[in-house]
Amino acid sequence: YMVSGLNFLAVLDDNFFNEHIFETAEKLDGTAEIIWFRFKNYNNIHYKLNKIRKIVKKSILTLSSDYVLAEKYGFDGIHLNKNTIKDYNTFKPASSLITGYSSHSAAEIDNIKADYYTLSPIFDTPKPYNVNQLGIIDYDKTKKVFALGGINLENLEIIKKHFYGFAGIRVINDILS
């Protein structure tokens, strides 16, 4: 599950990978510790969830926000954010799903209980709006904090010294090639 000595969380964004999402999932299975399937719309979602669950056999598979669908399709976990964390207490006591959380500050990590976290954006990342990068934050490695945002093969060495691992969407293409 390591790339260059770092734990890797692959963000499989449905909008970014489009029709290549399944072949990308297949290539990443076993390379990434966690594969987070992120989707924004529900078009063909049942087909996609069923298929991706059949493909990913070695990596931990998490789903954005929808814990009902995560459990229905046998995902290993759920990935929450500030808008969906309120649902956490609803499902967590009765669920065996692991929980990931998208944080944007060290304070969020300190105040929100999850099994792992993404912290972003660490570096500048192409967005249609201004992004205030956090830069390198020394974080207690006893918590699984994956650096996210602007991660590339050139800055992995500095990430290695400060975080449990790294997460990314665009860096996936660099890793696969």
Side-chain angles (χ1 to χ4, degrees):
Y1 300 127
M2 290 198 179
V3 177
S4 178
L6 272 168
N7 297 293
F8 174 41
L9 185 157
V11 184
L12 277 188
D13 186 280
D14 197 29
N15 292 339
F16 185 83
F17 289 100
N18 297 307
E19 70 275 4
H20 300 290
I21 197 144
F22 301 119
E23 68 188 68
T24 305
E26 195 167 23
K27 289 176 184 172
L28 291 171
D29 188 27
T31 299
E33 177 182 349
I34 300 170
I35 296 176
W36 165 21
F37 182 63
R38 189 167 82 176
F39 66 97
K40 301 270 193 300
N41 69 60
Y42 282 80
N43 294 347
N44 298 317
I45 196 64
H46 298 286
Y47 166 77
K48 290 175 185 175
L49 295 177
N50 194 37
K51 185 162 181 175
I52 205 159
R53 177 67 279 181
K54 286 179 179 166
I55 291 169
V56 177
K57 297 183 183 344
K58 299 176 199 130
S59 297
I60 295 167
L61 183 60
T62 64
L63 182 65
S64 282
S65 306
D66 197 321
Y67 61 89
V68 173
L69 287 177
E71 287 195 329
K72 178 178 179 180
Y73 287 94
F75 278 56
D76 304 303
I78 187 78
H79 194 97
L80 304 171
N81 61 38
K82 67 178 191 241
N83 299 320
T84 56
I85 192 68
K86 64 188 178 307
D87 300 329
Y88 178 81
N89 291 330
T90 305
F91 79 88
K92 189 60 180 171
S95 173
S96 62
L97 293 175
I98 68 162
T99 306
Y101 181 77
S102 290
S103 60
H104 300 285
S105 71
E108 275 185 286
I109 295 168
D110 293 337
N111 294 319
I112 291 173
K113 189 176 183 308
D115 297 303
Y116 72 89
Y117 306 83
T118 55
L119 179 62
S120 70
I122 300 302
F123 302 114
D124 191 38
T125 182
K127 296 277 186 191
Y129 48 86
N130 281 344
V131 174
N132 293 326
Q133 61 191 37
L134 298 169
I136 294 296
I137 294 175
D138 259 327
Y139 211 84
D140 172 6
K141 286 193 179 179
T142 60
K143 287 195 176 187
K144 288 185 175 186
V145 179
F146 293 89
L148 174 64
I151 308 299
N152 58 44
L153 296 179
E154 287 75 50
N155 58 31
L156 281 182
E157 280 305 311
I158 190 142
I159 294 294
K160 188 187 300 188
K161 296 178 182 123
H162 302 275
F163 295 94
Y164 172 79
F166 71 100
I169 298 174
R170 288 174 179 81
V171 73
I172 288 171
N173 292 328
D174 295 340
I175 290 167
L176 292 179
S177 51

